[in-house]
Amino acid sequence: MTALPIAVAVAANVLYHIASKSIPAEQNAFMGLVVNYAVALLASVILFCLTPHEKILVEAARSNWACVLMGLSITAVEAAFVMIYRAGEELSTASLIVSILIALAMLIVGGVFYHEQISAQKILGAALCIAGVIMLSLR
């Protein structure tokens, strides 16, 4: 794996969760998302302009259902985390539990839809993840 993109993903996720938990409770959660996406749109346009690309219409035409699904998924993830944190869940455990459950779901998705090998090592790791979620959920 490439270390730089992983480091950026980790750092961005840490900042994401800190920001998510810090959105003012008195603000409508979806107005917060409107501001988030306005900033994301501006940043994406700038990065698009700074990277090699074809004409804008050629690049736009290359988009498919996955781009739309990703946009909807990101909206759902962000709204869900705002709700999780507004419900009083702890930053230190909520994101960890969600990440573990995502990893377990991806193990199944990878095996079923992408024919990735599900080894004994992965099954053991999944069992440890389940144990971890149970332990983190105990209060």
PDB file of all heavy atoms in Angstrom, residues 54 60 116 120 130:
ATOM      1  N   GLU A  54      -8.826  16.344 -19.399  1.00  0.00           N
ATOM      2  CA  GLU A  54      -9.379  16.672 -20.713  1.00  0.00           C
ATOM      3  C   GLU A  54     -10.285  17.900 -20.534  1.00  0.00           C
ATOM      4  O   GLU A  54     -10.396  18.440 -19.434  1.00  0.00           O
ATOM      5  CB  GLU A  54     -10.202  15.487 -21.232  1.00  0.00           C
ATOM      6  CG  GLU A  54      -9.411  14.206 -21.434  1.00  0.00           C
ATOM      7  CD  GLU A  54      -8.501  14.253 -22.651  1.00  0.00           C
ATOM      8  OE1 GLU A  54      -8.830  14.974 -23.616  1.00  0.00           O
ATOM      9  OE2 GLU A  54      -7.465  13.560 -22.620  1.00  0.00           O
ATOM     10  N   ALA A  60     -16.718  15.293 -17.582  1.00  0.00           N
ATOM     11  CA  ALA A  60     -18.062  15.125 -17.010  1.00  0.00           C
ATOM     12  C   ALA A  60     -18.788  13.950 -17.657  1.00  0.00           C
ATOM     13  O   ALA A  60     -19.486  13.197 -16.974  1.00  0.00           O
ATOM     14  CB  ALA A  60     -18.866  16.402 -17.169  1.00  0.00           C
ATOM     15  N   GLU A 116     -13.051 -11.912  -3.842  1.00  0.00           N
ATOM     16  CA  GLU A 116     -11.808 -11.845  -3.082  1.00  0.00           C
ATOM     17  C   GLU A 116     -11.765 -13.038  -2.132  1.00  0.00           C
ATOM     18  O   GLU A 116     -12.790 -13.488  -1.634  1.00  0.00           O
ATOM     19  CB  GLU A 116     -11.725 -10.532  -2.302  1.00  0.00           C
ATOM     20  CG  GLU A 116     -11.676  -9.316  -3.210  1.00  0.00           C
ATOM     21  CD  GLU A 116     -11.756  -7.999  -2.459  1.00  0.00           C
ATOM     22  OE1 GLU A 116     -11.906  -7.991  -1.225  1.00  0.00           O
ATOM     23  OE2 GLU A 116     -11.687  -6.955  -3.128  1.00  0.00           O
ATOM     24  N   ALA A 120      -8.728 -17.921   6.402  1.00  0.00           N
ATOM     25  CA  ALA A 120      -8.898 -18.162   7.838  1.00  0.00           C
ATOM     26  C   ALA A 120      -8.394 -16.957   8.624  1.00  0.00           C
ATOM     27  O   ALA A 120      -8.978 -16.580   9.652  1.00  0.00           O
ATOM     28  CB  ALA A 120      -8.148 -19.426   8.249  1.00  0.00           C
ATOM     29  N   ILE A 130     -15.537  -8.265  15.749  1.00  0.00           N
ATOM     30  CA  ILE A 130     -16.850  -8.419  16.392  1.00  0.00           C
ATOM     31  C   ILE A 130     -16.696  -8.354  17.904  1.00  0.00           C
ATOM     32  O   ILE A 130     -17.470  -7.673  18.586  1.00  0.00           O
ATOM     33  CB  ILE A 130     -17.526  -9.727  15.940  1.00  0.00           C
ATOM     34  CG1 ILE A 130     -17.892  -9.620  14.455  1.00  0.00           C
ATOM     35  CG2 ILE A 130     -18.759 -10.036  16.797  1.00  0.00           C
ATOM     36  CD1 ILE A 130     -18.286 -10.935  13.804  1.00  0.00           C
TER      37      ILE A 130
END
